[in-house]
């Protein structure tokens, strides 16, 4: 088994630089690359770095297609906490040239299962992800694939774990995130040609150690990345504090 490669960087800013270096290489080799993109606090510096390089002409994203990993169910795209809004604010509206297509699941769809199927088909028609950029939840989730999610799951409606809702309460004016979200499934993520997981801050140290050094276990969804042949983890010093030098 090829182990995920772990790169440790000093801080969030250095993680962002190293992560965008990888995106830059992928897009230079294939300007039509298909990217899976995350949300949350972790990728904010990553998007700032990506915007900076795009605006200064170091990277061209206009022919890229992007798929967001997930979206809350039941809140309109105008709501400040939607991932659609997050992506506009952190990335798309700040670029000189937006990607050809930027897909985000529609959490307001009348038929959510049909929306999940539609999203999965769109990913398949794009030939899957060349690079999936992931964060990691404090309980080891990737996207909104919470502990216990089967590894063969495709895009689906997920029940969001209580701890995840608590961790995301900050972005909701009423402090109450929805209990459901649409997420790209674990199997869809594992189909990616390459995977890049970003982890910053001391709160991720224990779960990162369990995901990388523990057994592959659906209770720690990110542990399944051990089975993928091309995974890079970029973590800051704080998030990598529990990792042994052997990794
Ligand atoms: C959220 C998102 C995930 C994200 C994770 C970590 O719930 N659904 O895609 O990776 O939590 O978020 P943060 O970076 O804010 O710690």
């Amino acid at each position: 088994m090829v182990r995920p490669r772990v790169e440790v960087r000093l801080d969030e800013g250095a993680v962002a630089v190293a992560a965008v270096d990888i995106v830059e290489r992928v897009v230079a080799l294939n300007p039509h690359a298909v990217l899976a993109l995350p949300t949350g606090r972790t990728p904010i510096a990553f998007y700032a770095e990506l915007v900076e390089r795009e605006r200064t002409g170091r990277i061209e994203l206009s022919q890229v297609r992007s798929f967001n990993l997930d979206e809350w169910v039941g809140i309109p795209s105008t709501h400040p906490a939607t991932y659609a809004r997050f992506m506009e604010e952190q990335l798309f509206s700040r670029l000189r040239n937006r990607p050809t297509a930027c897909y985000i699941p529609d959490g307001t769809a009348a038929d959510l299962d049909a929306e999940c199927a539609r999203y999965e088909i769109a990913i398949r028609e794009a030939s899957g992800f060349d690079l999936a950029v992931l964060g990691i939840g404090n309980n080891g989730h990737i996207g909104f694939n919470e502990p216990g999610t089967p590894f063969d799951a495709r895009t689906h409606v997920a029940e969001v774990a209580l701890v995840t809702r608590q961790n995301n309460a900050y972005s909701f004016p009423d402090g109450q995130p929805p209990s459901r979200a649409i997420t790209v499934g674990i199997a869809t993520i594992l189909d990616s040609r390459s995977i890049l997981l970003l982890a910053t801050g001391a709160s991720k140290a224990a779960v990162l150690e369990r995901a990388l050094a523990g057994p592959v276990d659906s209770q720690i969804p990110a542990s399944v990345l051990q089975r993928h042949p091309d995974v890079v983890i970029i973590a800051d010093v704080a998030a990598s504090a529990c990792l042994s030098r052997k990794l």
Side-chain angles (χ1 to χ4, degrees):
M1 194 156 65
V2 187
R3 285 214 148 271
R5 189 173 91 233
V6 181
E7 295 185 10
V8 179
R9 294 290 185 273
L10 186 60
D11 56 20
E12 188 178 67
V15 167
V17 168
V20 178
D21 283 347
I22 289 177
V23 175
E24 193 178 312
R25 279 200 294 276
V26 167
V27 176
L29 281 171
N30 176 12
H32 299 273
V34 178
L35 307 178
L37 296 177
T39 51
R41 281 172 279 213
T42 308
I44 289 176
F46 164 75
Y47 289 131
E49 177 69 22
L50 194 54
V51 166
E52 170 67 19
R53 286 196 211 183
E54 195 268 349
R55 293 188 68 84
T56 53
R58 276 182 68 181
I59 183 168
E60 176 64 58
L61 297 173
S62 63
Q63 297 176 82
V64 158
R65 278 170 292 171
S66 71
F67 286 85
N68 266 78
L69 290 164
D70 45 25
E71 179 60 285
W72 297 105
V73 162
I75 52 174
S77 60
T78 49
H79 188 288
T82 57
Y83 291 155
R85 176 92 170 255
F86 174 95
M87 291 305 296
E88 274 306 306
E89 288 174 355
Q90 300 297 330
L91 182 64
F92 301 137
S93 70
R94 297 162 67 192
L95 296 172
R96 287 193 310 185
N97 299 301
R98 297 165 73 99
T100 302
C102 313
Y103 298 94
I104 299 180
D106 178 3
T108 65
D111 184 340
L112 291 170
D113 290 336
E115 170 61 9
C116 293
R118 185 194 68 84
Y119 205 69
E120 187 71 32
I121 288 167
I123 294 167
R124 198 164 309 153
E125 285 179 351
S127 302
F129 306 139
D130 293 298
L131 176 68
V133 185
L134 311 177
I136 181 169
N138 293 59
N139 60 0
H141 74 239
I142 46 177
F144 268 124
N145 293 282
E146 296 283 19
T149 306
F151 290 158
D152 62 359
R154 295 281 167 184
T155 304
H156 63 283
V157 178
E159 293 293 329
V160 181
L162 182 60
V163 65
T164 305
R165 294 180 69 205
Q166 289 165 343
N167 285 335
N168 283 281
Y170 71 93
S171 61
F172 287 79
D174 64 357
Q176 296 288 327
S179 57
R180 293 187 302 161
I182 292 178
T183 185
V184 164
I186 290 176
T188 320
I189 292 171
L190 290 178
D191 282 346
S192 309
R193 256 77 71 198
S194 304
I195 296 175
L196 169 60
L197 184 141
L198 311 180
T200 56
S203 70
K204 302 291 171 66
V207 77
L208 196 60
E209 195 272 340
R210 283 188 71 188
L212 297 180
V216 174
D217 178 351
S218 67
Q219 291 307 313
I220 302 288
S223 67
V224 77
L225 300 179
Q226 294 180 36
R227 292 188 179 159
H228 191 283
D230 186 357
V231 177
V232 177
I233 315 283
I234 307 181
D236 66 1
V237 170
S240 56
C242 300
L243 297 178
S244 86
R245 287 170 195 278
K246 278 182 290 181
L247 277 174

